[in-house]
């Protein structure tokens, strides 16, 4: 089980012959991900690590029935690659690429709505359903199959927290990073909904950071839907200065909105336990499940 | 990327938004020349990348040539919130009848552009949004169609009931949206959009924030860069693939990943320390980057200890260790070094450090790292 | 009954204070059409013939619940007016205006699809459900309530043929012109479907002309759906020369397509009786219903 | 509105489509000057608003200056399907490797632009569509997004498997779509789009049809008009609000509405007569228009009888009658007049005719009108 990707996912790699694409295709394949096709315009007909390469996504889909695509295409061409995946009716598109113009993402999201595709990212580490399928660049070794759903706006911070979850004796149903840009395809609320409907998931860890109002929206959603699963959270950036972009375009406190304080308070108010330091997440889970 | 008012107005002018006659100057003499071309009176405005310049004397109305010279001399070189004014804008003084606010912003909630308009122009719009939210009218644009003429007209009717005025406002809104689109902006704002006593509309002040991700499509925007000293350092770091922001504390951090880097600062603070910086070396494994990172750290003389907090994923711990060893050597660093290496090739990395003979404090967890770095920073000058 | 417009239709006139708009508003009102609002930007708050005028369509809809709009706005501003009506969720928009750029209509039709509006026209005489509602410029006197649905690509030719239908003793359920432009909002097939589902309609008269392939499409539809009502047709332009635009942008035989012959044959092939001269339509109806 | 090849290429050039070096000439001397600038060999092409010029000698390859002069003299003044060649295009001769077809057309079926491409360039594309439809690849554009890069690329891969070529083809397709959009065209076509032996792509021939309804947005296109004699008459009629097309028969018709006007012609033919024209006076009631209509009718000396077929709606019968009476009087028409007036103000109109004293054959139905007009035309010279 888990959400979005599983052993049944048929994964296409866009930019499979590029530097990052080829490296991570090998790692994903090693993990057991069912990679059925790659796309690099001009290399159609070739093979890469036993995987057929196509010129266009529509051909790849026609020939292999791919239903998940992961984007390793460089920033300048990445938006066109995502458009192509959406147009070919790929249901789930995981955009790893960093640096895609925000305006392009605005158009892509409009197009994806029209066509019924879900985009994760861009500028994200990907998604893993441990023991089944890894799509992206997450380090496989720290993950373990289990009952905690993990969703994060960050990359390495996710690994940090997942390592505490695993160390505390809990595995993950699915873990993913949703990306650090202002305009992203999938948000906390979407994942909360998916995790709620997943049999395997018994708790959700929500890793937020400064910027935007995704955490506040999640808090509202948890309250309004009387969310049935326990949710634990960590918010990065309590010491971040106002008006400074902390690494990626989404992490910026602009004016009075987007502070860690606002997010932490919104979550605490509705009963979500918010960790002060990453290791606390492990403790929270132990308390929850040792008591229950 | 932030740009100056006068640069934003150039972008607006290209799409046909009417702005007052104006020119820039970097000296009082130049300012007088510009003022002569325009005709008195003129408004002299400091060009700096912060708001609130008016309150500290960065905007002046000059009625005579003497005043132009006087005010230009006064404003040039002025310090506004830590920034030195090096450019001033001299603009035709407009006899103001009414001040409106027009803005376009990329809205994260809806993933779409949002138009905002208000009759409360000329003041801080965030303040208006807080105190009297009903005075701001919003409209979410469907990016598939852009801002349609009737939608601009509907917004305009919330600002005026005179059809002659609404047509002009609506046209300007469409041009503003166009400017926002063609410039790949994340914000495009006219505040105030002024109706003059003689019945014309002018964009008196302009603000545009450009999307850094889209700058590759606008090579001509490169020359609009005007960084402060701090921004210059941040930009230099960026050009080396680093994300660096200087802070007030004394513990220098080198981290991979923005979220983890913020958390590293938070954890230091949590245990009573003060981070000297935010520093993200990104996802690469280039040992060279470690050297660059340390160089940036060392610009800050307040740094008393250095903490490497690396969670290997794409980044390999051995590469970080190699870079660290050679950099410490090359740069002759004698500050205490705390290193946490975990994840990909962790063992290899630790071995390199152990064999280097360097005096390194190896730690296993973030808590331990923070505590050690704080302890080692104490008592040092 | 009838289709699309009825005595329950709440009609808005866009361009109500203009030359054509004001003239035909009076005639429509005389006919008994329930005109609830008018729009002319800048004249909001005024009254015209007892009808409230608004600055914007969205206000007019909010205040009066208008659900049908008729466009008398001049060509240069008409596309914006139709966009506005669609955006305000007007369900049926009848665009009388001639000379709207085709590219604008392409965008409008895409927008209307998104929002769920139906557009009739542009460059059309409008629609009438005799005895209930007239929206447009059709001369009221020739129409009579009855059982024949009439759909036409033309204006005065519709009147000619309706007069024969009426003279033959048959009334009309609904009659309308769908417009003479290459890109129009509603086509023969749409009307055939609506007439099929209408209780009052017992036969359909389809008045075609050269250009495009609407008549051929209608023939295919009739065949494929085993259309239950008798359909009679007249096609104008048997003697029209190739490559010459006959009056409006849609009526042109380009290359080998769009000839009257092709249309007539397509219809005859599937059993539709095609009149050689307009008066024959009356005779066809008599034969059909006197026999039945 | 049809425009010439060289005009279409100007539109293409503006969006960055590469065309061969070329220039126009209206005399052999001019042609030689253009050829000299370009360099020999050159291709000389007649600029006329009909297809198939090549088959009748309207396209020639000139290898020497003498040939330029010879062929230019030959083609200028040539008659092609009834049109006289007054302008020629002199273009760089391209060494052709392959010829493709690229086109955008507004599709009535889908209400959307459709892109068509084929490897069978350089020939009549309608012929290809009939004989080998599988050789034409179509793509319907969603106007909300335009032609997206990958869509252009997918089409390009149906023409070539060389990625270098497909990128160039895809880029050209996007530019062609852009030209179609910015020009408000109903058709934009490059045929052939040529790959030269030295590896470049060129639009060798171009066809653009502009949307008459959108010409108000392009005042600069007005100067591209180049009407034949017949088109000039039709255009003059249009400027007077009439739609007029001359035919070969002898019965002049004056009708209101295009559909009814076509039907009037059909009915005349049905009863064995020959219509002299299509003439739609439109929906207005201006008596002046009737006079203009008769003036156009009378240009055609073959007209032997005139039939007014008016179904009043917006058009009022009394206005038509008034216009008719005064026009016949003014213009001194002595041809037999058949008049059918029905609809709005029918009685008033008939009364005016009856009281005018003119010799008018009033009829009640179209059949009667057609038969009467035919009968009266017979026996007249």
């Amino acid at each position: 089980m888990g959400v979005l990707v599983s052993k049944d996912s048929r994964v296409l790699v866009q930019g499979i012959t590029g530097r990052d694409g080829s490296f991570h295709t090998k790692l994903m394949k090693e993990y057991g991900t069912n990679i059925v096709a790659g796309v690099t315009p001009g290399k159609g007909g070739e093979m890469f690590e036993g995987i057929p390469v196509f010129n266009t996504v529509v051909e790849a889909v026609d020939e292999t029935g791919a239903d998940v695509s992961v984007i390793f295409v460089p920033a300048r061409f990445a938006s066109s690659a995502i458009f192509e995946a959406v147009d070919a009716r790929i249901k789930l598109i995981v955009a790893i690429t960093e640096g895609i113009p925000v305006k392009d993402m605005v158009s892509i999201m409009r197009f994806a709505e029209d066509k019924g595709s879900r985009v994760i990212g861009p500028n994200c580490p990907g998604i893993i359903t441990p023991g089944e399928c890894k799509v992206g660049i997450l380090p496989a070794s720290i993950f373990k199959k289990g009952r905690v759903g993990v969703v994060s706006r960050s990359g390495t911070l996710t690994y940090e927290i997942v390592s505490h979850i695993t160390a505390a004796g809990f595995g993950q149903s699915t873990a993913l990073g949703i990306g650090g840009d202002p305009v992203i395809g999938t948000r906390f609320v979407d994942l909360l909904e998916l995790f709620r409907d997943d049999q395997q998931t018994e708790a959700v860890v929500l890793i937020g950071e400064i910027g935007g109002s995704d955490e506040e929206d999640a808090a509202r959603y948890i309250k309004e839907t009387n969310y049935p699963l326990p949710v634990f959270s960590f918010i990065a950036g309590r010491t971040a200065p106002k008006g400074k972009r902390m690494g990626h375009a989404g992490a910026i406190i602009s004016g009075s909105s987007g502070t860690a304080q606002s997010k932490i308070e919104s979550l605490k108010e509705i009963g979500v336990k918010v960790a002060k330091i990453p290791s606390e997440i492990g403790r929270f889970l132990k308390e929850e499940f040792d008591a229950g | 990327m932030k740009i100056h008012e006068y640069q934003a107005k150039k972008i607006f002018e290209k799409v046909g938004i009417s702005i007052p006659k104006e020119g820039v100057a970097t000296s009082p003499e130049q300012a007088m020349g510009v003022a002569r071309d325009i005709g008195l009176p003129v408004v002299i405005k400091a060009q700096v990348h912060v708001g609130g310049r008016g309150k500290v004397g960065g905007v002046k109305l000059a009625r005579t040539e003497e005043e132009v010279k006087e005010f230009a001399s006064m404003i040039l070189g002025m310090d506004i919130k830590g920034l030195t004014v090096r450019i001033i804008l001299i603009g035709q003084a407009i006899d103001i009848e009414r001040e409106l606010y027009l803005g376009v912003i990329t809205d994260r909630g809806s993933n779409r552009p949002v138009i905002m308009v208000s009759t409360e122009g000329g003041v801080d719009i965030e303040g208006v949004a807080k105190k009297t939210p009903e005075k701001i009218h919003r409209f979410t644009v469907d990016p598939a169609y852009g801002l349609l003429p009737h939608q601009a007209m509907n917004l305009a009717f919330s600002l005026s009931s005179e059809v002659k005025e609404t047509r002009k406002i609506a046209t300007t809104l469409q041009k503003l949206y166009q400017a926002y689109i063609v410039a790949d902006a994340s914000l495009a704002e006219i505040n105030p959009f002024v109706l003059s006593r003689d019945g014309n509309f002018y964009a008196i002040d302009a603000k545009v924030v450009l999307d850094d991700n889209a700058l590759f499509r606008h090579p001509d925007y490169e020359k609009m860069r005007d960084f402060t000293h701090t921004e210059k350092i941040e930009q230099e770091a960026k050009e080396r693939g680093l994300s660096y922001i200087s802070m007030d504390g004394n513990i220098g951090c080198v981290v991979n990943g923005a979220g983890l880097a913020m958390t590293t600062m938070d954890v230091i603070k949590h245990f009573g320390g003060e981070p000297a910086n935010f520093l993200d070396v990104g996802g690469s494994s280039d040992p060279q980057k470690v050297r660059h990172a340390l160089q940036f750290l060392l610009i800050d003389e307040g740094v008393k200890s250095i903490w490497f907090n690396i969670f290997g994923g794409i980044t390999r711990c051995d590469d970080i260790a190699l870079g660290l060893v050679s950099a410490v050597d090359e740069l002759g660093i004698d500050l205490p070094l705390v290193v946490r290496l975990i994840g990909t090739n962790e063992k290899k990395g630790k071995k390199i450090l152990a064999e280097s003979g360097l005096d390194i404090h190896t730690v296993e967890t973030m808590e331990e790292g923070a505590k050690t770095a704080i302890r080692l920073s104490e008592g040092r000058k």
Side-chain angles (χ1 to χ4, degrees), chain A residues 134-251:
Chain A
K134 178 185 113 160
V135 177
I137 61 174
L138 310 122
S141 60
I142 57 169
F143 295 93
K144 185 176 109 174
K145 194 175 176 71
R147 52 183 164 177
V148 181
V150 180
V151 54
S152 170
R153 282 175 60 195
S154 172
T156 46
L157 176 57
T158 316
Y159 314 160
E160 174 76 32
I161 289 178
V162 164
S163 71
H164 290 293
I165 295 172
T166 301
F170 298 93
Q172 300 83 40
S173 54
T174 296
L176 75 161
I178 56 174
D181 280 8
V183 169
I184 52 176
T186 302
R187 294 176 181 277
F188 284 152
V189 166
D190 305 305
L191 265 301
L192 284 170
E193 197 174 323
L194 290 169
F195 281 133
R196 182 193 61 199
D197 299 339
D198 175 43
Q199 297 286 323
Q200 189 185 328
T201 306
E202 294 174 27
V204 177
V205 170
L206 194 148
I207 306 168
E209 62 183 30
I210 54 164
S213 61
D214 258 29
E215 294 78 4
E216 288 87 340
D217 295 343
R220 202 173 313 114
Y221 175 83
I222 289 167
K223 193 183 173 191
E224 282 172 5
T225 62
N226 204 3
Y227 196 68
L229 302 178
V231 178
F232 306 102
S233 182
F234 177 80
I235 306 292
R238 271 177 298 151
T239 54
K242 207 169 143 174
K244 288 281 180 190
R245 249 177 63 176
M246 306 306 273
H248 46 70

Side-chain angles (χ1 to χ4, degrees), chain B residues 163-237:
Chain B
V163 75
K164 267 191 186 171
E165 288 179 20
T166 57
R167 285 200 202 284
K168 284 181 189 169
I169 296 167
T171 306
T172 305
L173 275 173
Q174 287 197 278
K175 287 173 179 168
L176 182 63
Y177 181 78
Q178 195 194 334
Y180 162 89
I181 290 293
V182 299
D184 278 303
S186 54
L187 171 78
E189 198 174 77
I190 306 175
N191 186 24
F193 183 58
V194 155
L195 175 62
S196 69
R197 290 207 198 277
D198 55 2
N200 294 310
F201 278 101
Y202 297 98
I204 295 274
D205 196 355
K207 189 175 171 188
V208 167
V209 179
L210 300 170
D211 175 11
D212 289 353
N213 286 355
L215 287 178
F216 71 87
R217 288 202 280 239
H218 305 277
D220 51 315
Y221 287 176
E222 204 50 50
K223 64 175 188 296
M224 296 202 294
R225 280 192 191 281
D226 179 23
F227 287 131
T228 59
H229 179 67
T230 323
E231 284 168 341
K232 250 182 210 148
I233 295 172
E234 289 167 12
Q235 180 60 20
E236 278 169 29

